[in-house]
Amino acid sequence: WLRVFGASEFAARLLSASAGIACVAFAYTLGRGLFGKGVGLVSALLMAVAEFQIYSSQEFRCYNAFELVTLLSFALYVRALKTADRRYFVANALARILLVATHAFGVFVLVAQDLHFILRWNTHRRSRTAWLLSQSLTLLVVVLALLPLLRWIPAIVASRDMTWRVLPTSTDLLRTLYWYVFPLRRG
């Protein structure tokens, strides 16, 4: 991103701001696709005024890009289930790969979608083959991307140096929850 747009403060924050704006549109698309136009409009409104959304749109971090790819993945997933079109499953697989590449927590989104499909296995008979192929594509690319990291596992296991860990107190947990819910009210 910085190589293309430069390292100025404006250029660095442009990715988060653009992703934050696009999230509003994708929240509308996903809400409309699931429940209709009214829910889509409310979703877009809530996304536009959400405190964390506004805050993270002003920083040079991956959170808005992660949020955008998550919304894209769910929008493609819903569209794939509604149409049973293999192209949407392939597009969803590509979004899922990008999701894991954007943030490690993308795995939780994958698990949520997969769990939904498995729990509704009998409802999606027409889509099973396409879903299995998209799962295979996702797994193959993610595993191939993670293979270079395997060389670090023996060093991590051998070190077993966990002295840097400090157990959190109940106050730490409450403070973290407060900061998560109200990110602009720190201090």
Side-chain angles (χ1 to χ4, degrees), residues 74-86:
F74 270 109
L76 289 168
Y77 177 70
V78 168
R79 189 79 170 147
L81 292 182
K82 284 188 174 188
T83 63
D85 188 340
R86 290 177 189 226

Side-chain angles (χ1 to χ4, degrees), residues 141-164:
V141 172
V142 169
V143 166
L144 288 176
L146 292 177
L147 279 178
L149 299 177
L150 292 178
R151 66 187 173 124
W152 294 99
I153 291 176
I156 293 169
V157 171
S159 74
R160 296 196 182 242
D161 179 21
M162 301 299 215
T163 56
W164 54 270

